[in-house]
């Protein structure tokens, strides 16, 4: 009896130990599974981008290094990389918000996946930058084919916040050429080529050439000098009069930014403004231009004894997406005691490349405040007519390229004549830019143009010389009025 009890007790203890062991084994197995899951997740995270689910920079660089190693071991093997940057992405982020910016990045990533070959390595390098590694590059033919497929894939618009956005990428291509090159060198070369593609026009590609490196070094130096120039206030304004071609009377001035570099001399705005936008100092430059131009206009109003003279100031896309822009504009006008109607902001169609309710709303708010809007370089873009029908515009400035041919090509003369008629029908002010000869002026007078600008009348002038020109215009106007009286 005692033996049976003892055996039963031992059996129960054994069963308990077995159950405990089974529980411990199950917990251990679960822990192993969880650990493997965490390790797999960490491994995935280490080599993938969380937003687009593409490979990331770390993975791309390791693959590029491996490709270069194979190239060293096997002669005849070459690799190429494509470095891609999403054009004007900051405008989308600033105007539509980061949620829509992220959606754009995910869509671009999907289009890139459909554009590359299965054996290519595609990665998001960071921000709005992507890269593609092509190992069997077959010269540059394969890389160019992939670049062209990518550019074509971006042509279809996508809807973001009820707006059609046309994505585009600028692409730089570099190739190893069997030389002793590091991954960083190849990335740098492709990055340099990508900026050349941007300078030539968005949505294109460029192939790295060693001469580009010198340009990039010079560009870096220019960036440094530009930052110093902004800090030290090394810019100044020149003022070009806008005149009535019949009477020569000055009705307004356009404020033009100038930078006299201490070593390179005068640098054209077309060269340094894109750099200023790239390094994020354009908004500071814009603010200073607005203050200086409005301060000078107030001085001229005092000199004239009336507030009819206008000032045109060029504005950038960065201003239009800055939430503080409207308040800053109102503050400058108030501090200078200027009527808003005396200020005209010149915009180009670049502002409309990423159409959004914010842009339209800002333009409407500017006009409601009394400040005028002018569309510069009219006729050079694909959608100039649609802009003046969709947005509230006061003035259109006919681009110089049309004025250059107004006397030599009947078709150009007819186009300018049509623009004049369109302006009158819509109640718009029309300014002809780049008038350089009397024949051009006479043609414009014949079709009813009452506002012209160009070297025929005056080059851009420093404030003192512009004041003298305005004084002469006032005396001439007074003399005419006396004769008529």
């Amino acid at each position: 009896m005692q033996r049976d009890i003892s055996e039963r007790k031992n059996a129960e203890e054994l069963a308990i130990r077995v159950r405990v062991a089974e529980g411990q084994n199950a917990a251990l197995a679960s822990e192993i599974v969880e650990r493997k899951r965490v390790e797999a997740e960490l491994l995935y995270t280490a080599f993938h981008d969380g937003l687009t689910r593409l490979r990331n920079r770390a993975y791309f660089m390791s693959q590029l290094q491996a490709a270069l190693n194979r190239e060293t071991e096997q002669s005849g093997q070459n690799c190429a990389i494509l470095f891609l940057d999403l054009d004007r992405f900051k405008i989308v982020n600033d105007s539509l918000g980061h949620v829509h910016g992220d959606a754009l990045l995910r869509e671009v990533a999907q289009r890139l996946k459909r554009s590359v070959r299965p054996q290519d390595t595609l990665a998001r390098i960071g921000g709005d930058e992507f890269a593609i590694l092509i190992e069997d590059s077959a010269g540059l033919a394969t890389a160019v084919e992939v670049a062209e497929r990518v550019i074509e894939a971006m042509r279809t618009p996508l809807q973001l916040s009820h707006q059609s956005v046309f994505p585009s990428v600028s692409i730089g291509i570099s190739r190893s050429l069997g030389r002793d090159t590091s991954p960083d060198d190849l990335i740098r070369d492709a990055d340099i080529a990508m900026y050349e593609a941007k300078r030539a026009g968005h949505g294109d590609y460029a192939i790295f050439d060693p001469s580009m490196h010198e340009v990039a070094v010079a560009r870096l130096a220019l960036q440094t000098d530009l930052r110093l120039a902004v800090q030290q206030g090394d810019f100044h304004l020149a003022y070009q009069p806008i005149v009535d071609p019949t009477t020569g009377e000055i009705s307004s001035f356009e404020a033009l930014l100038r930078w006299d570099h201490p070593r390179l001399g005068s640098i054209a705005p077309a060269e340094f403004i894109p750099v200023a936008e790239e390094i994020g100092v354009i908004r500071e430059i814009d603010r200073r231009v607005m203050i200086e131009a409005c301060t000078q206009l107030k001085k001229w109003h005092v000199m004239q004894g009336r507030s009819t003279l206008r000032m045109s100031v060029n504005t950038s896309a960065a201003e239009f997406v800055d939430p503080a822009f409207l308040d800053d504009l109102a503050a400058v006008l108030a501090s200078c005691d200027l009527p808003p109607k005396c200020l005209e902001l010149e915009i180009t169609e670049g502002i409309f490349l990423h159409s959004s309710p914010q842009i339209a709303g800002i333009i409407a708010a500017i006009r409601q405040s009394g400040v005028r809007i002018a569309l510069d370089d009219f006729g050079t873009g694909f959608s100039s007519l649609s802009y003046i029908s969709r947005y509230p515009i006061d003035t259109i400035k006919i681009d110089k390229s049309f004025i250059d041919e107004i006397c030599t090509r009947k078709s150009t003369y007819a186009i300018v004549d049509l623009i004049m008629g369109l302006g009158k029908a819509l109640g718009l002010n029309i300014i002809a830019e780049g008038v350089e000869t009397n024949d051009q002026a006479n043609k414009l007078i014949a079709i009813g143009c009452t506002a012209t600008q160009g070297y025929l009348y005056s080059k851009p002038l420093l404030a003192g010389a512009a004041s003298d020109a305005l004084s002469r215009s006032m005396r001439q106007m007074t003399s005419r009025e006396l004769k008529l009286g």
Side-chain angles (χ1 to χ4, degrees):
M1 184 74 173
Q2 185 65 34
R3 181 179 175 184
D4 290 343
I5 294 173
S6 178
E7 288 178 351
R8 191 165 52 249
K9 184 176 181 180
N10 290 338
E12 289 173 354
E13 289 176 353
L14 178 61
I16 291 173
R17 286 198 298 271
V18 168
R19 286 197 295 272
V20 170
E22 288 176 345
Q24 290 174 338
N25 289 339
L28 181 59
S30 177
E31 182 179 340
I32 291 172
V33 169
E34 177 63 15
R35 184 178 299 172
K36 287 183 177 179
R37 186 193 66 78
V38 171
E39 288 175 351
E41 188 173 315
L42 289 174
L43 183 62
Y44 183 89
T45 303
F47 294 111
H48 286 80
D49 172 58
L51 176 65
T52 63
R53 316 306 287 177
L54 297 179
R55 299 287 191 174
N56 62 11
R57 183 186 184 93
Y59 182 85
F60 184 85
M61 296 303 283
S62 69
Q63 291 298 105
L64 179 55
Q65 182 64 70
L68 292 173
N69 291 342
R70 285 191 292 272
E71 188 175 296
T72 301
E73 297 167 1
Q74 304 172 25
S75 61
Q77 289 277 344
N78 293 117
C79 66
I81 64 170
L82 280 64
F83 193 87
L84 305 84
D85 183 84
L86 192 56
D87 298 322
R88 296 176 294 268
F89 177 67
K90 188 176 186 301
I91 295 178
V92 174
N93 249 355
D94 291 344
S95 60
L96 300 182
H98 291 280
V99 171
H100 294 295
D102 288 349
L104 176 58
L105 289 172
R106 285 193 290 267
E107 174 61 23
V108 167
Q110 290 304 308
R111 295 187 187 189
L112 291 176
K113 286 177 70 174
R114 293 193 292 268
S115 301
V116 300
R117 305 169 307 162
Q119 64 266 43
D120 298 332
T121 301
L122 167 65
R124 182 187 178 202
I125 299 299
D128 58 348
E129 295 175 339
F130 300 83
I132 301 169
L133 169 62
I134 299 172
E135 294 196 46
D136 53 337
S137 60
L140 286 171
T142 305
V144 169
E145 287 174 7
V146 173
E148 290 175 344
R149 283 202 301 271
V150 167
I151 291 169
E152 185 62 31
M154 298 297 158
R155 296 192 189 282
T156 306
L158 70 149
Q159 290 294 118
L160 293 177
S161 184
H162 307 295
Q163 295 296 313
S164 293
V165 175
F166 290 82
S168 69
V169 292
S170 294
I171 305 173
I173 302 173
S174 65
R175 186 175 170 225
S176 60
L177 295 176
R179 64 184 187 272
D180 185 17
T181 306
S182 71
D184 288 334
D185 290 337
L186 268 182
I187 289 283
R188 179 203 64 203
D189 292 349
D191 190 21
I192 290 172
M194 182 272 292
Y195 275 104
E196 285 300 309
K198 276 190 181 293
R199 291 181 64 187
H202 297 299
D204 204 351
Y205 67 88
I207 299 169
F208 177 76
D209 180 271
S211 63
M212 292 180 181
H213 182 66
E214 298 176 8
V215 173
V217 171
R219 188 177 182 83
L220 180 61
L222 185 65
Q223 290 177 357
T224 302
D225 294 344
L226 187 56
R227 290 184 189 278
L228 289 174
V230 171
Q231 293 174 4
Q232 299 169 2
D234 289 342
F235 301 99
H236 67 271
L237 294 183
Y239 303 92
Q240 188 169 35
I242 298 170
V243 307
D244 184 322
T246 304
T247 65
E249 179 185 350
I250 296 175
S251 60
S252 60
F253 283 93
E254 179 181 357
L256 299 166
L257 185 62
R258 295 291 182 262
W259 179 23
D260 292 325
H261 191 281
R263 187 179 71 261
L264 302 176
S266 180
I267 299 179
E271 292 185 37
F272 70 81
I273 290 298
V275 178
E277 292 174 340
E278 179 186 327
I279 64 176
V281 298
I282 187 64
R283 190 66 183 93
E284 178 62 24
I285 294 174
D286 288 336
R287 289 191 187 96
R288 296 186 185 185
V289 168
M290 188 68 70
I291 293 171
E292 186 175 340
C294 288
T295 301
Q296 182 59 56
L297 181 59
K298 181 61 179 179
K299 292 178 182 178
W300 284 333
H301 282 179
V302 172
M303 185 179 81
Q304 283 185 309
R306 58 181 185 272
S307 301
T308 56
L309 186 72
R310 284 202 300 267
M311 180 72 78
S312 295
V313 178
N314 292 281
T315 52
S316 67
E319 286 189 291
F320 271 66
V321 297
D322 186 341
F325 176 55
L326 291 173
D327 290 338
D328 289 348
L329 183 61
V332 172
L333 290 170
S335 66
C336 294
D337 190 26
L338 281 176
K341 65 180 181 181
C342 294
L343 178 64
E344 188 161 73
L345 303 183
E346 294 193 11
I347 61 177
T348 65
E349 70 173 38
I351 285 179
F352 305 119
L353 288 175
H354 286 288
S355 177
S356 76
Q358 182 183 4
I359 298 295
I362 289 174
I363 292 176
I366 289 170
R367 290 192 77 244
Q368 287 172 5
S369 74
V371 174
R372 297 167 60 87
I373 297 289
L375 182 57
D376 200 8
D377 302 331
F378 183 81
T380 58
F382 294 109
S383 306
S384 295
L385 285 175
S386 69
Y387 296 145
I388 63 174
S389 67
R390 290 164 53 197
Y391 298 98
I393 304 293
D394 297 285
T395 300
I396 54 179
K397 301 187 74 173
I398 304 175
D399 188 71
K400 182 181 182 298
S401 60
F402 290 98
I403 307 306
D404 287 342
E405 297 180 343
I406 195 172
C407 296
T408 58
R409 297 184 56 151
K410 290 183 179 180
S411 58
T412 301
Y413 178 84
I415 291 171
V416 175
D417 190 17
L418 283 172
I419 294 173
M420 290 298 306
L422 177 66
K424 290 176 183 177
L426 297 176
L428 302 175
N429 184 37
I430 309 292
I431 300 174
E433 293 185 287
V435 181
E436 297 180 349
T437 69
N438 284 312
D439 287 342
Q440 291 171 347
N442 290 334
K443 289 281 188 181
L444 291 166
I445 291 170
I447 58 178
C449 184
T450 59
T452 52
Q453 178 181 358
Y455 275 60
L456 175 63
Y457 310 102
S458 174
K459 65 180 182 180
L461 305 167
L462 296 180
S467 298
D468 293 340
L470 182 59
S471 295
R472 288 193 298 271
S473 175
M474 291 169 59
R475 288 195 297 270
Q476 290 170 1
M477 184 176 66
T478 302
S479 176
R480 281 193 302 273
E481 289 174 349
L482 290 174
K483 288 179 181 179
L484 292 173

